[in-house]
Amino acid sequence: MIPDVSKALSWLEAHPNVLCGIHRGIERETLRVTPDGHLASTGHPIELGKSLTHKWITTDFAESLLEFITPVDDNISHTLHFLSDLHRYTARHLKNERMWPMSMPCFIEGEEDITLAQFGTSNEGRFKTLYREGLKNRYGALMQTISGVHYNFSLPIEFWQAWANIKDEESGKEAISDGYLRLIRNYYRFGWVIPFFFGASPAICGSFLKGRKTNLPFESTSKGAKYLPYATSLRLSDLGYTNKSQSDLDITFNHLDTYVKGLKKAIHKPSEEFAQLGIKKEDGSYVQLNSNVLQIENELYAPIRPKRVVKGDESPSDALLRGGIEYIEVRSLDINPFTPIGVDETQIRFLDLFLIWCVLADAPEMNSSELACCRSNWNNVILEGRKPGQVIGMGCGETKEPLAQVGKALFADLQRVAKVLDSCSGTKYLEVCLKLEEMFDSPELTFSGKLLDKIKEQGIGGYGLSLAEQYYQELVSTSYETLTDDSFEHERISSIKRQADLENSDTISFDEYLKIHASPKDEGMAS
């Protein structure tokens, strides 16, 4: 069963103000598609600015894969309004294209149709594109077009001062890092609740399987979709955004120094498989940054990451060593297809509740074997989460308990956290608890349950395109809530100037730049 958190919850109830001021940020990805659902072949719209240097609107792997980024904020409504405005502005400049409302892509004929994100002629821009070239050559471009939502979360300093008895962030950075690592270990143990509720990829387009081997027992709809009857998030499965070559990396989350050591080891570890790709072609064009297991640290695929804002050219791990963990990045959210912006308030409030619980609950250290056991639980929920009588393994032993029973025990704790949070902001957290808890007995109410019914009726393409058009019309016909045309135009012009300044400031060749930033002797840089 879940850990006994009663003592920590009593402490929290005696210190309710420590949770007032949670900081959040959202990153949402979405593919630009044509009216018939194929991947857009156009470049990133110049009307949006430069993707390399724009603060809010950029691209991820592909030129057609938009990414929206909200600033750090402590107000949920303001964050969602800001994200909505980014979508409104983009929709107004998409002309005859739409934003695909699901995680899994549809109607991609072949990998040659996927253009890597282009970031201009600066060394930094070329580095980012070459990193993506390496991803394409290592894992295939199709996998990289899968979209998701990342949720960045940090607790206020007042929490850590009361919980860990520290004075400030600098002197207490070790205690704060230990607290966030505790959160991460519990996330691995119990985070399967996220795909259970919010997994929204129970099916894939038949075209996604073209030429790919799988042992999954897919069933087919009359409109060409492949699905598993009880699946929640195929995006998180071995078929989706995973990397089997990283499965034997000994990266654990018990201590910050050992986590960083494991990450740096992977950066320096040669890969026989990737060495066969080479670094350069005969024509002098590059194939990848290097032939190590990871080109740079961001290539490590994980459902959650410890993070700190980097300074200058320092690597993410060096930033962590410098200042400790500043926030965590949750990476397990599928695109929510039931909202134009891919994520909603219910999800944010649930993540707040769950992540706070993960900090409070005891979290014994985990070795690589237990991490593998936790992944097995996740895989069961990802592939068969809505299956009647589904069970969850407790630790690495033989003990298994009904998923619904474990979930309800968790929610008994979450309701107590909700009441504390509602003392800062009303009754919405408790309402979210009561709404979601029903899904343990009625899994057809989960995102994947509702979505699979629609896909069976209309197909992925039919339903996805109808949603894309509906959301486009909503976005272009509603007014901005937080930003203005002037603020967007200012950022667009500023992004163009910042990119031009970067391109004009280069003083070394790209080959020299790579020797500094992509050499196995260096930890790389953030993407």
Side-chain angles (χ1 to χ4, degrees), residues 93-104:
H93 293 89
L94 281 188
K95 298 172 183 173
N96 198 35
E97 296 171 353
R98 300 292 181 263
M99 289 178 270
W100 184 246
M102 300 185 190
S103 279
M104 301 301 285

Side-chain angles (χ1 to χ4, degrees), residues 92-285:
R92 286 163 164 76
H93 293 89
L94 281 188
K95 298 172 183 173
N96 198 35
E97 296 171 353
R98 300 292 181 263
M99 289 178 270
W100 184 246
M102 300 185 190
S103 279
M104 301 301 285
C106 199
F107 304 142
I108 298 179
E109 295 297 332
E111 299 213 342
E112 65 277 2
D113 295 335
I114 302 169
T115 302
L116 300 182
Q118 303 297 305
F119 298 105
T121 60
S122 68
N123 286 332
E124 180 181 336
R126 293 176 66 187
F127 183 97
K128 290 170 77 75
T129 298
L130 176 54
Y131 167 57
R132 287 153 174 78
E133 179 74 27
L135 294 177
K136 179 188 78 173
N137 291 324
R138 289 172 173 223
Y139 318 115
L142 192 59
M143 184 184 89
Q144 307 292 329
T145 62
I146 299 172
S147 305
V149 172
H150 297 166
Y151 182 64
N152 300 315
F153 170 92
S154 66
L155 288 160
I157 185 62
E158 290 81 6
F159 173 87
W160 297 113
Q161 287 170 331
W163 175 254
N165 194 28
I166 63 170
K167 181 180 179 182
D168 53 36
E169 184 179 355
E170 176 57 33
S171 62
K173 65 182 181 181
E174 289 186 14
I176 294 173
S177 294
D178 286 344
Y180 280 127
L181 289 170
R182 175 184 178 123
L183 181 162
I184 289 171
R185 294 194 297 276
N186 275 326
Y187 185 95
Y188 272 96
R189 288 182 172 115
F190 300 100
W192 46 260
V193 298
I194 296 172
F196 175 78
F197 290 133
F198 306 129
S201 50
I204 56 176
C205 262
S207 62
F208 190 83
L209 280 179
K210 190 184 298 181
R212 302 184 71 183
K213 294 181 180 179
T214 177
N215 295 321
L216 296 176
F218 279 113
E219 298 182 25
S220 300
T221 70
S222 59
K223 298 183 182 296
K226 304 286 186 182
Y227 71 95
L228 297 178
Y230 303 113
T232 61
S233 177
L234 293 174
R235 165 182 168 265
L236 296 177
S237 73
D238 287 344
L239 196 65
Y241 211 87
T242 58
N243 182 350
K244 293 189 176 85
S245 69
Q246 297 176 15
S247 60
D248 61 347
L249 295 178
D250 188 22
I251 296 177
T252 56
F253 301 92
N254 299 319
H255 307 282
L256 185 58
D257 58 344
T258 54
Y259 168 75
V260 169
K261 183 178 179 181
L263 193 53
K264 287 181 178 292
K265 182 179 179 181
I267 293 292
H268 293 82
K269 183 178 180 181
S271 164
E272 291 183 13
E273 177 187 358
F274 299 149
Q276 293 176 4
L277 297 172
I279 303 296
K280 264 186 175 183
K281 296 180 182 177
E282 291 184 0
D283 62 6
S285 61

Side-chain angles (χ1 to χ4, degrees), residues 33 106 138 219 230 279 331 434 447 449 455 483 497 503:
V33 298
C106 199
R138 289 172 173 223
E219 298 182 25
Y230 303 113
I279 303 296
R331 299 166 56 82
L434 298 175
F447 282 6
I455 288 172
L483 296 163
K497 183 180 185 303
E503 292 172 349

